[in-house]
Amino acid sequence: MIDQLIPFLTASAILTISPGPDIIYVMVQGIANGKKHGFVTALGLATGIIVHTSLVAFGVSAIIKSSDSLFLIIKLLGTSYLLYLAWLVFRSDPKIAYSSKGIQKKSLLSLFKQGFIMNVLNPKVTIFFLAFFPGFLWDPEGNTVVQFYILGLFFMGITILIFGSVALLAGKISTYLKKHTHSALVLKWLQIVVFIGIATFILI
């Protein structure tokens, strides 16, 4: 179990900290409306992970129990998807574009619900979990539903930790990124390496 969790936690942390619409949205809310609003937005986004974890847990667990061959196909498709994501990142512009102009102040409950809905209604998250999680099961013959939920809760915890930190340090982070434009390029290549690394790990 530990042998699977350590690379899972490492990869999850790197992928979560990489620039994306969710983490940038948290930072913008933190800059525009304050640390508390940014943190609540982060909580809403992280809570949505439970829904995606449930979809993957029950769907893939049923497949694992029905056929080892189908499970292998899922892992191969997951590997292909992760390599595709690496290719998309490679082709993307490393610049981080964000602005807090025109952001309206909302209640904490509204921001939590908005963050939750943003995450739940993003099908790319479920697809990513489908590609990412199965490769880190430590006992495919055991209770895979529980294992998926353990992975999901760890991923959720890391998301809260990182997104929450971004919310609390939004001003300092944005100032740093403006001064150190090369940071985006470093994060871009770090993402590429992690996607390829996970794909390789799943196949081994």
Side-chain angles (χ1 to χ4, degrees):
M1 177 177 177
I2 299 299
D3 292 341
Q4 298 293 94
L5 282 180
I6 292 176
F8 175 82
L9 293 174
T10 303
S12 297
I14 295 173
L15 292 172
T16 303
I17 206 171
S18 300
D22 288 351
I23 198 168
I24 291 174
Y25 184 69
V26 169
M27 185 166 65
V28 168
Q29 286 295 337
I31 295 171
N33 297 317
K35 299 176 181 178
K36 185 186 295 185
H37 289 74
F39 190 78
V40 169
T41 302
L43 285 178
L45 287 163
T47 304
I49 290 172
I50 297 173
V51 176
H52 296 289
T53 300
S54 298
L55 292 173
V56 173
F58 288 101
V60 177
S61 293
I63 292 174
I64 292 173
K65 294 183 185 302
S66 64
S67 171
D68 290 338
S69 299
L70 285 176
F71 183 48
L72 177 60
I73 291 172
I74 284 181
K75 292 175 73 172
L76 291 173
L77 289 174
T79 299
S80 301
Y81 180 66
L82 291 168
L83 292 175
Y84 171 68
L85 291 179
W87 171 246
L88 289 182
V89 174
F90 174 74
R91 295 184 59 191
S92 67
D93 187 341
K95 293 180 181 178
I96 299 175
Y98 62 90
S99 173
S100 58
K101 293 180 181 179
I103 299 296
Q104 296 180 347
K105 191 159 187 174
K106 299 181 179 180
S107 68
L108 295 177
L109 180 59
S110 294
L111 283 174
F112 179 86
K113 289 192 294 186
Q114 185 171 332
F116 178 79
I117 293 170
M118 279 176 62
N119 187 286
V120 170
L121 295 184
N122 186 354
K124 292 182 180 179
V125 179
T126 299
I127 294 171
F128 175 72
F129 278 22
L130 183 61
F132 184 48
F133 278 25
F136 292 92
L137 295 175
W138 53 89
D139 183 16
E141 302 299 323
N143 191 328
T144 51
V145 171
V146 171
Q147 293 175 61
F148 275 122
Y149 271 107
I150 289 174
L151 293 175
L153 289 174
F154 271 117
F155 195 93
M156 182 178 171
I158 288 174
T159 301
I160 292 173
L161 179 63
I162 293 176
F163 280 17
S165 298
V166 167
L168 298 175
L169 302 171
K172 293 181 179 178
I173 292 173
S174 63
T175 300
Y176 178 86
L177 291 175
K178 288 175 182 176
K179 288 183 178 179
H180 302 81
T181 55
H182 65 279
S183 300
L185 184 61
V186 172
L187 289 172
K188 171 181 175 175
W189 280 100
L190 191 58
Q191 261 192 105
I192 293 171
V193 170
V194 171
F195 279 135
I196 294 174
I198 296 170
T200 304
F201 181 85
I202 289 174
L203 287 179
I204 295 176

